[in-house]
Amino acid sequence: MKIGIIGISSLTLELACRAAQAGYEVIINNPRGGSLIKEVVKTMGNKARIGTLEESADAEIVILFLPKDDLENVLKSLPDMSGKIVVHTSGLIFDPHLLLSGITNAMTYKITASLLPEAHVVKLFNPIETKPRQIPATQENREDIFYIADDTNSRNVIRTFLKKLHYLPIDLSARFHLYNKGLNLKNFVNPLAVRPLKNSPN
């Protein structure tokens, strides 16, 4: 399976590195220029390379991190993305109140979804722990990562992908419904309850 990375952040580079180590073919495109990441990509091994925007967009899973100023121009330059799984990434400090705020104010997600209406857009959050917590020995090398996907098949594909990258994927899809038109928080449950999801089947 090919993984396309469009746009550079600490999270997309980490996902690219882990995907290459897991045996995926990773094609990375930085719309602002490949020379900025050339040396970093070399450290990822022979499974990762810099490619064109079209090559990255042709992958089975396309992972995005684009500043709002670049978002519309880059997305309008993509080939037909119908049926593609497009992962919209962002960083988030792990705090229940900021979790709610981060999702409800996810404007770049809304723009992405509106410009790619035929794609299956998945929202991916990279949490940063603000307080130390006890981690079972069997999970000490795994990190929590949160995702939301309205499409069932995309949800399953992303869950499997994240597990292969040695994350502990936490599915918030039952609590937040994104839809291409925006965010529907009617079914929102107290964000303090996100932790028990780790005990649900993934």
Side-chain angles (χ1 to χ4, degrees):
M1 178 185 286
K2 292 181 181 179
I3 306 300
I5 305 286
I6 300 175
I8 301 305
S9 70
S10 57
L11 178 56
T12 56
L13 287 176
E14 178 68 16
L15 291 167
C17 184
R18 291 189 186 211
Q21 290 174 350
Y24 293 97
E25 181 180 350
V26 181
I27 305 169
I28 303 169
N29 178 266
N30 183 15
R32 297 193 173 189
S35 61
L36 298 173
I37 56 166
K38 188 175 180 180
E39 295 305 315
V40 175
V41 174
K42 284 182 180 178
T43 67
M44 297 181 187
N46 59 12
K47 284 290 186 178
R49 65 180 175 87
I50 295 174
T52 66
L53 184 65
E54 292 74 18
E55 288 175 316
S56 294
D58 190 51
E60 285 83 354
I61 297 176
V62 180
I63 302 171
L64 300 177
F65 180 85
L66 296 168
K68 189 176 178 181
D69 292 344
D70 297 342
L71 192 60
E72 186 170 354
N73 287 337
V74 173
L75 293 184
K76 286 184 175 180
S77 300
L78 297 179
D80 182 17
M81 301 297 283
S82 298
K84 290 273 189 181
I85 298 176
V86 177
V87 181
H88 181 278
T89 67
S90 64
L92 182 71
I93 295 175
F94 187 75
D95 173 275
H97 300 293
L98 291 180
L99 177 63
L100 175 58
S101 174
I103 294 174
T104 56
N105 293 300
M107 291 305 299
T108 55
Y109 169 83
K110 295 177 184 179
I111 295 170
T112 300
S114 66
L115 291 174
L116 301 175
E118 303 304 320
H120 301 303
V121 182
V122 177
K123 181 67 182 171
L124 186 67
F125 295 97
N126 182 34
I128 301 172
E129 294 285 7
T130 56
K131 295 180 181 179
R133 62 187 177 90
Q134 295 295 332
I135 301 175
T138 57
Q139 299 177 0
E140 60 184 1
N141 294 322
R142 291 175 176 259
E143 300 172 32
D144 292 346
I145 197 162
F146 296 89
Y147 67 99
I148 307 169
D150 291 333
D151 177 68
T152 301
N153 180 63
S154 300
R155 189 181 309 142
N156 293 335
V157 169
I158 291 301
R159 180 176 63 230
T160 300
F161 172 64
L162 293 172
K163 282 185 174 182
K164 287 183 178 179
L165 270 54
H166 300 288
Y167 283 106
L168 286 172
I170 299 176
D171 185 1
L172 298 180
S173 304
R175 303 176 183 215
F176 297 92
H177 295 283
L178 295 169
Y179 303 117
N180 286 346
K181 294 182 179 179
L183 295 160
N184 179 354
L185 299 180
K186 290 181 179 179
N187 296 324
F188 177 68
V189 179
N190 187 333
L192 289 169
V194 296
R195 187 64 63 186
L197 284 174
K198 292 179 69 173
N199 296 323
S200 61
N202 284 325

